Amino acid sequence: MFESFIGKRSTPIENQVERGAVRKFAEAIGDPHPLYVDDATGKRSRYEGNIAPPTFPRVLDFGSVEGLHLPNVGLIHGEQSFHYVRPLKVGESIQCYTEIKDYYERKGTDGALGFLVIEDVGVDLHGERIFTSQAIVIITEAVRKRLSK
């Protein structure tokens, strides 16, 4: 169903890792670690500034893959992983894009399930990779039927 999207990417979007957004995110996840929110702690750290929590990329804009239209309801978030080359620094600008890595189907008890593997990437302004996040979105038979109409 989504095989034709494998390998397609969104156009990169510039994102700012804003101090206020990092603070709100840290509070929302219940982890206001001083390295995320306290300026003095960040300056004394080996990073010489504050960093964002590891799951912060969930709130960044990665753009959209042209032609890929997933519904807002009915999808299942299967799993997600993050890999960092270095921490995401508060105050920096980064470029983010998403790429469709794979699509496969498995038989489930209520019909076929689709598994869409999506990779989100953040790079610095020199093109050096900072992080990669991979997610699997599960598309139920009911959603698949709605999409094929």
Side-chain angles (χ1 to χ4, degrees):
M1 178 172 231
F2 293 99
E3 291 88 349
S4 65
F5 290 99
I6 296 171
K8 292 191 177 181
R9 287 184 177 182
S10 65
T11 300
I13 304 285
E14 186 169 338
N15 286 261
Q16 300 291 322
V17 183
E18 298 171 344
R19 181 173 301 282
V22 168
R23 178 181 299 280
K24 286 180 185 177
F25 186 85
E27 290 171 357
I29 64 170
D31 188 8
H33 190 285
L35 198 49
Y36 307 145
V37 299
D38 182 67
D39 194 42
T41 300
K43 286 179 182 173
R44 287 191 312 268
S45 76
R46 64 182 166 168
Y47 309 114
E48 300 175 347
N50 295 106
I51 62 172
T55 55
F56 184 76
R58 292 286 300 141
V59 300
L60 298 175
D61 185 355
F62 293 88
S64 57
V65 174
E66 188 175 336
L68 179 65
H69 303 290
L70 294 173
N72 292 328
V73 296
L75 301 176
I76 300 170
H77 185 90
E79 70 177 57
Q80 184 149 16
S81 62
F82 294 86
H83 172 74
Y84 278 85
V85 174
R86 67 161 175 83
L88 195 53
K89 298 175 183 177
V90 170
E92 75 178 320
S93 294
I94 63 171
Q95 294 283 322
C96 297
Y97 64 87
T98 193
E99 181 177 349
I100 306 304
K101 298 302 278 187
D102 198 6
Y103 177 77
Y104 55 93
E105 296 178 355
R106 300 279 191 266
K107 186 168 176 72
T109 56
D110 293 326
L113 296 172
F115 295 82
L116 188 62
V117 182
I118 301 171
E119 183 175 85
D120 292 331
V121 177
V123 299
D124 66 19
L125 297 182
H126 303 290
E128 298 293 322
R129 191 170 290 211
I130 300 168
F131 68 85
T132 303
S133 170
Q134 192 169 81
I136 297 178
V137 176
I138 302 170
I139 303 162
T140 63
E141 181 69 25
V143 171
R144 288 164 41 83
K145 284 181 182 175
R146 273 186 289 173
L147 289 172
S148 62
K149 288 183 181 180

mmCIF file of all heavy atoms in Angstrom, residues 102-133:
data_model
loop_
_atom_site.group_PDB
_atom_site.id
_atom_site.type_symbol
_atom_site.label_atom_id
_atom_site.label_comp_id
_atom_site.label_asym_id
_atom_site.label_seq_id
_atom_site.Cartn_x
_atom_site.Cartn_y
_atom_site.Cartn_z
ATOM 1 N N ASP A 102 10.731 1.921 5.032
ATOM 2 C CA ASP A 102 10.220 0.591 4.682
ATOM 3 C C ASP A 102 8.708 0.557 4.881
ATOM 4 O O ASP A 102 8.131 1.388 5.597
ATOM 5 C CB ASP A 102 10.888 -0.473 5.566
ATOM 6 C CG ASP A 102 10.766 -1.889 4.997
ATOM 7 O OD1 ASP A 102 10.273 -2.061 3.859
ATOM 8 O OD2 ASP A 102 11.178 -2.829 5.705
ATOM 9 N N TYR A 103 8.096 -0.413 4.233
ATOM 10 C CA TYR A 103 6.684 -0.719 4.457
ATOM 11 C C TYR A 103 6.510 -2.207 4.233
ATOM 12 O O TYR A 103 7.000 -2.759 3.238
ATOM 13 C CB TYR A 103 5.762 0.051 3.502
ATOM 14 C CG TYR A 103 4.321 -0.339 3.701
ATOM 15 C CD1 TYR A 103 3.603 0.147 4.784
ATOM 16 C CD2 TYR A 103 3.681 -1.215 2.833
ATOM 17 C CE1 TYR A 103 2.288 -0.228 4.992
ATOM 18 C CE2 TYR A 103 2.367 -1.601 3.029
ATOM 19 C CZ TYR A 103 1.686 -1.100 4.117
ATOM 20 O OH TYR A 103 0.382 -1.479 4.341
ATOM 21 N N TYR A 104 5.839 -2.848 5.182
ATOM 22 C CA TYR A 104 5.559 -4.276 5.031
ATOM 23 C C TYR A 104 4.236 -4.580 5.712
ATOM 24 O O TYR A 104 3.717 -3.772 6.493
ATOM 25 C CB TYR A 104 6.695 -5.136 5.604
ATOM 26 C CG TYR A 104 7.045 -4.851 7.043
ATOM 27 C CD1 TYR A 104 6.463 -5.573 8.086
ATOM 28 C CD2 TYR A 104 7.967 -3.861 7.371
ATOM 29 C CE1 TYR A 104 6.795 -5.316 9.404
ATOM 30 C CE2 TYR A 104 8.302 -3.596 8.688
ATOM 31 C CZ TYR A 104 7.710 -4.328 9.699
ATOM 32 O OH TYR A 104 8.039 -4.065 11.014
ATOM 33 N N GLU A 105 3.686 -5.731 5.399
ATOM 34 C CA GLU A 105 2.392 -6.135 5.946
ATOM 35 C C GLU A 105 2.500 -7.486 6.633
ATOM 36 O O GLU A 105 3.316 -8.321 6.253
ATOM 37 C CB GLU A 105 1.342 -6.166 4.838
ATOM 38 C CG GLU A 105 1.082 -4.798 4.249
ATOM 39 C CD GLU A 105 0.079 -4.804 3.098
ATOM 40 O OE1 GLU A 105 -0.370 -5.896 2.682
ATOM 41 O OE2 GLU A 105 -0.253 -3.703 2.632
ATOM 42 N N ARG A 106 1.672 -7.647 7.647
ATOM 43 C CA ARG A 106 1.565 -8.916 8.380
ATOM 44 C C ARG A 106 0.082 -9.199 8.608
ATOM 45 O O ARG A 106 -0.721 -8.284 8.759
ATOM 46 C CB ARG A 106 2.263 -8.837 9.759
ATOM 47 C CG ARG A 106 3.732 -8.529 9.719
ATOM 48 C CD ARG A 106 4.523 -9.793 9.421
ATOM 49 N NE ARG A 106 5.938 -9.594 9.613
ATOM 50 C CZ ARG A 106 6.801 -9.266 8.667
ATOM 51 N NH1 ARG A 106 6.380 -9.059 7.447
ATOM 52 N NH2 ARG A 106 8.073 -9.128 8.919
ATOM 53 N N LYS A 107 -0.237 -10.475 8.661
ATOM 54 C CA LYS A 107 -1.617 -10.863 8.931
ATOM 55 C C LYS A 107 -1.876 -10.744 10.431
ATOM 56 O O LYS A 107 -1.105 -11.232 11.248
ATOM 57 C CB LYS A 107 -1.853 -12.294 8.461
ATOM 58 C CG LYS A 107 -3.288 -12.737 8.567
ATOM 59 C CD LYS A 107 -3.480 -14.042 7.824
ATOM 60 C CE LYS A 107 -4.879 -14.564 7.991
ATOM 61 N NZ LYS A 107 -5.867 -13.802 7.253
ATOM 62 N N GLY A 108 -2.963 -10.076 10.776
ATOM 63 C CA GLY A 108 -3.391 -9.935 12.164
ATOM 64 C C GLY A 108 -4.704 -10.651 12.374
ATOM 65 O O GLY A 108 -5.310 -11.179 11.429
ATOM 66 N N THR A 109 -5.193 -10.674 13.597
ATOM 67 C CA THR A 109 -6.458 -11.362 13.895
ATOM 68 C C THR A 109 -7.651 -10.673 13.245
ATOM 69 O O THR A 109 -8.656 -11.319 12.958
ATOM 70 C CB THR A 109 -6.684 -11.463 15.416
ATOM 71 O OG1 THR A 109 -6.626 -10.149 15.975
ATOM 72 C CG2 THR A 109 -5.642 -12.343 16.068
ATOM 73 N N ASP A 110 -7.560 -9.366 13.016
ATOM 74 C CA ASP A 110 -8.665 -8.613 12.403
ATOM 75 C C ASP A 110 -8.343 -8.183 10.977
ATOM 76 O O ASP A 110 -8.877 -7.205 10.486
ATOM 77 C CB ASP A 110 -8.998 -7.381 13.248
ATOM 78 C CG ASP A 110 -9.588 -7.750 14.596
ATOM 79 O OD1 ASP A 110 -10.312 -8.761 14.661
ATOM 80 O OD2 ASP A 110 -9.322 -7.026 15.570
ATOM 81 N N GLY A 111 -7.438 -8.892 10.315
ATOM 82 C CA GLY A 111 -7.069 -8.552 8.944
ATOM 83 C C GLY A 111 -5.609 -8.156 8.855
ATOM 84 O O GLY A 111 -4.849 -8.288 9.811
ATOM 85 N N ALA A 112 -5.230 -7.647 7.714
ATOM 86 C CA ALA A 112 -3.836 -7.270 7.484
ATOM 87 C C ALA A 112 -3.472 -6.005 8.242
ATOM 88 O O ALA A 112 -4.277 -5.091 8.375
ATOM 89 C CB ALA A 112 -3.590 -7.074 6.002
ATOM 90 N N LEU A 113 -2.258 -5.988 8.748
ATOM 91 C CA LEU A 113 -1.702 -4.806 9.389
ATOM 92 C C LEU A 113 -0.545 -4.308 8.528
ATOM 93 O O LEU A 113 0.267 -5.099 8.044
ATOM 94 C CB LEU A 113 -1.175 -5.132 10.789
ATOM 95 C CG LEU A 113 -2.188 -5.580 11.821
ATOM 96 C CD1 LEU A 113 -1.476 -6.048 13.091
ATOM 97 C CD2 LEU A 113 -3.147 -4.443 12.149
ATOM 98 N N GLY A 114 -0.486 -2.993 8.337
ATOM 99 C CA GLY A 114 0.623 -2.391 7.615
ATOM 100 C C GLY A 114 1.594 -1.779 8.603
ATOM 101 O O GLY A 114 1.185 -1.228 9.622
ATOM 102 N N PHE A 115 2.878 -1.910 8.325
ATOM 103 C CA PHE A 115 3.927 -1.361 9.190
ATOM 104 C C PHE A 115 4.756 -0.382 8.370
ATOM 105 O O PHE A 115 5.485 -0.797 7.457
ATOM 106 C CB PHE A 115 4.806 -2.483 9.742
ATOM 107 C CG PHE A 115 4.065 -3.420 10.654
ATOM 108 C CD1 PHE A 115 3.295 -4.451 10.119
ATOM 109 C CD2 PHE A 115 4.121 -3.259 12.025
ATOM 110 C CE1 PHE A 115 2.600 -5.326 10.957
ATOM 111 C CE2 PHE A 115 3.432 -4.129 12.862
ATOM 112 C CZ PHE A 115 2.675 -5.153 12.332
ATOM 113 N N LEU A 116 4.631 0.890 8.671
ATOM 114 C CA LEU A 116 5.337 1.946 7.960
ATOM 115 C C LEU A 116 6.515 2.392 8.818
ATOM 116 O O LEU A 116 6.329 2.844 9.950
ATOM 117 C CB LEU A 116 4.388 3.116 7.697
ATOM 118 C CG LEU A 116 4.882 4.230 6.798
ATOM 119 C CD1 LEU A 116 5.178 3.719 5.396
ATOM 120 C CD2 LEU A 116 3.853 5.359 6.744
ATOM 121 N N VAL A 117 7.727 2.232 8.309
ATOM 122 C CA VAL A 117 8.945 2.594 9.043
ATOM 123 C C VAL A 117 9.377 3.979 8.580
ATOM 124 O O VAL A 117 9.669 4.183 7.390
ATOM 125 C CB VAL A 117 10.067 1.561 8.815
ATOM 126 C CG1 VAL A 117 11.304 1.936 9.617
ATOM 127 C CG2 VAL A 117 9.583 0.153 9.182
ATOM 128 N N ILE A 118 9.392 4.901 9.520
ATOM 129 C CA ILE A 118 9.693 6.305 9.235
ATOM 130 C C ILE A 118 10.941 6.710 9.999
ATOM 131 O O ILE A 118 11.056 6.443 11.200
ATOM 132 C CB ILE A 118 8.512 7.208 9.647
ATOM 133 C CG1 ILE A 118 7.246 6.797 8.885
ATOM 134 C CG2 ILE A 118 8.850 8.675 9.428
ATOM 135 C CD1 ILE A 118 5.989 7.470 9.369
ATOM 136 N N GLU A 119 11.859 7.364 9.311
ATOM 137 C CA GLU A 119 13.080 7.845 9.954
ATOM 138 C C GLU A 119 13.096 9.369 9.912
ATOM 139 O O GLU A 119 12.912 9.964 8.852
ATOM 140 C CB GLU A 119 14.312 7.296 9.230
ATOM 141 C CG GLU A 119 15.619 7.686 9.882
ATOM 142 C CD GLU A 119 16.797 7.018 9.215
ATOM 143 O OE1 GLU A 119 17.277 7.566 8.198
ATOM 144 O OE2 GLU A 119 17.202 5.944 9.687
ATOM 145 N N ASP A 120 13.280 9.980 11.082
ATOM 146 C CA ASP A 120 13.429 11.424 11.187
ATOM 147 C C ASP A 120 14.890 11.724 11.467
ATOM 148 O O ASP A 120 15.521 11.052 12.290
ATOM 149 C CB ASP A 120 12.566 11.983 12.324
ATOM 150 C CG ASP A 120 11.076 11.878 12.029
ATOM 151 O OD1 ASP A 120 10.709 11.904 10.836
ATOM 152 O OD2 ASP A 120 10.284 11.787 12.975
ATOM 153 N N VAL A 121 15.431 12.733 10.787
ATOM 154 C CA VAL A 121 16.849 13.056 10.894
ATOM 155 C C VAL A 121 17.010 14.540 11.194
ATOM 156 O O VAL A 121 16.298 15.376 10.632
ATOM 157 C CB VAL A 121 17.582 12.708 9.577
ATOM 158 C CG1 VAL A 121 19.051 13.109 9.642
ATOM 159 C CG2 VAL A 121 17.435 11.231 9.257
ATOM 160 N N GLY A 122 17.948 14.847 12.085
ATOM 161 C CA GLY A 122 18.316 16.229 12.373
ATOM 162 C C GLY A 122 19.792 16.423 12.113
ATOM 163 O O GLY A 122 20.615 15.627 12.588
ATOM 164 N N VAL A 123 20.137 17.445 11.326
ATOM 165 C CA VAL A 123 21.527 17.753 11.019
ATOM 166 C C VAL A 123 21.813 19.204 11.395
ATOM 167 O O VAL A 123 20.913 20.045 11.392
ATOM 168 C CB VAL A 123 21.866 17.510 9.522
ATOM 169 C CG1 VAL A 123 21.661 16.060 9.138
ATOM 170 C CG2 VAL A 123 21.064 18.414 8.610
ATOM 171 N N ASP A 124 23.078 19.493 11.694
ATOM 172 C CA ASP A 124 23.443 20.876 11.991
ATOM 173 C C ASP A 124 23.561 21.655 10.683
ATOM 174 O O ASP A 124 23.376 21.102 9.593
ATOM 175 C CB ASP A 124 24.710 20.954 12.855
ATOM 176 C CG ASP A 124 25.964 20.459 12.163
ATOM 177 O OD1 ASP A 124 26.009 20.379 10.921
ATOM 178 O OD2 ASP A 124 26.923 20.152 12.894
ATOM 179 N N LEU A 125 23.870 22.934 10.792
ATOM 180 C CA LEU A 125 23.911 23.771 9.594
ATOM 181 C C LEU A 125 25.093 23.473 8.684
ATOM 182 O O LEU A 125 25.187 23.989 7.579
ATOM 183 C CB LEU A 125 23.866 25.248 9.989
ATOM 184 C CG LEU A 125 22.574 25.653 10.716
ATOM 185 C CD1 LEU A 125 22.574 27.143 11.027
ATOM 186 C CD2 LEU A 125 21.333 25.278 9.921
ATOM 187 N N HIS A 126 26.015 22.591 9.129
ATOM 188 C CA HIS A 126 27.126 22.129 8.293
ATOM 189 C C HIS A 126 26.802 20.789 7.637
ATOM 190 O O HIS A 126 27.650 20.211 6.957
ATOM 191 C CB HIS A 126 28.407 21.996 9.122
ATOM 192 C CG HIS A 126 28.804 23.264 9.807
ATOM 193 N ND1 HIS A 126 29.279 24.368 9.138
ATOM 194 C CD2 HIS A 126 28.768 23.610 11.111
ATOM 195 C CE1 HIS A 126 29.528 25.330 9.995
ATOM 196 N NE2 HIS A 126 29.221 24.899 11.201
ATOM 197 N N GLY A 127 25.587 20.281 7.885
ATOM 198 C CA GLY A 127 25.179 19.006 7.307
ATOM 199 C C GLY A 127 25.594 17.790 8.111
ATOM 200 O O GLY A 127 25.390 16.662 7.678
ATOM 201 N N GLU A 128 26.157 18.016 9.300
ATOM 202 C CA GLU A 128 26.577 16.900 10.162
ATOM 203 C C GLU A 128 25.378 16.372 10.941
ATOM 204 O O GLU A 128 24.655 17.141 11.582
ATOM 205 C CB GLU A 128 27.669 17.356 11.141
ATOM 206 C CG GLU A 128 28.946 17.830 10.466
ATOM 207 C CD GLU A 128 29.684 16.717 9.755
ATOM 208 O OE1 GLU A 128 29.711 15.591 10.288
ATOM 209 O OE2 GLU A 128 30.225 16.971 8.659
ATOM 210 N N ARG A 129 25.200 15.065 10.912
ATOM 211 C CA ARG A 129 24.068 14.449 11.606
ATOM 212 C C ARG A 129 24.208 14.606 13.119
ATOM 213 O O ARG A 129 25.267 14.364 13.679
ATOM 214 C CB ARG A 129 23.965 12.973 11.234
ATOM 215 C CG ARG A 129 22.658 12.347 11.709
ATOM 216 C CD ARG A 129 22.472 10.983 11.138
ATOM 217 N NE ARG A 129 22.202 11.102 9.705
ATOM 218 C CZ ARG A 129 21.444 10.265 9.023
ATOM 219 N NH1 ARG A 129 20.909 9.229 9.611
ATOM 220 N NH2 ARG A 129 21.243 10.431 7.738
ATOM 221 N N ILE A 130 23.091 14.982 13.748
ATOM 222 C CA ILE A 130 23.014 15.100 15.207
ATOM 223 C C ILE A 130 22.270 13.897 15.774
ATOM 224 O O ILE A 130 22.713 13.267 16.723
ATOM 225 C CB ILE A 130 22.308 16.403 15.629
ATOM 226 C CG1 ILE A 130 23.057 17.613 15.093
ATOM 227 C CG2 ILE A 130 22.174 16.465 17.155
ATOM 228 C CD1 ILE A 130 22.290 18.913 15.222
ATOM 229 N N PHE A 131 21.115 13.588 15.166
ATOM 230 C CA PHE A 131 20.314 12.474 15.663
ATOM 231 C C PHE A 131 19.521 11.839 14.539
ATOM 232 O O PHE A 131 19.293 12.433 13.490
ATOM 233 C CB PHE A 131 19.344 12.938 16.769
ATOM 234 C CG PHE A 131 18.259 13.848 16.268
ATOM 235 C CD1 PHE A 131 17.089 13.335 15.732
ATOM 236 C CD2 PHE A 131 18.414 15.218 16.311
ATOM 237 C CE1 PHE A 131 16.098 14.170 15.244
ATOM 238 C CE2 PHE A 131 17.431 16.064 15.827
ATOM 239 C CZ PHE A 131 16.273 15.541 15.300
ATOM 240 N N THR A 132 19.102 10.618 14.794
ATOM 241 C CA THR A 132 18.174 9.883 13.941
ATOM 242 C C THR A 132 17.131 9.274 14.859
ATOM 243 O O THR A 132 17.470 8.724 15.913
ATOM 244 C CB THR A 132 18.895 8.753 13.175
ATOM 245 O OG1 THR A 132 19.953 9.325 12.422
ATOM 246 C CG2 THR A 132 17.947 8.029 12.260
ATOM 247 N N SER A 133 15.899 9.389 14.475
ATOM 248 C CA SER A 133 14.807 8.765 15.211
ATOM 249 C C SER A 133 14.058 7.873 14.239
ATOM 250 O O SER A 133 13.767 8.282 13.122
ATOM 251 C CB SER A 133 13.864 9.846 15.762
ATOM 252 O OG SER A 133 12.697 9.262 16.274
#
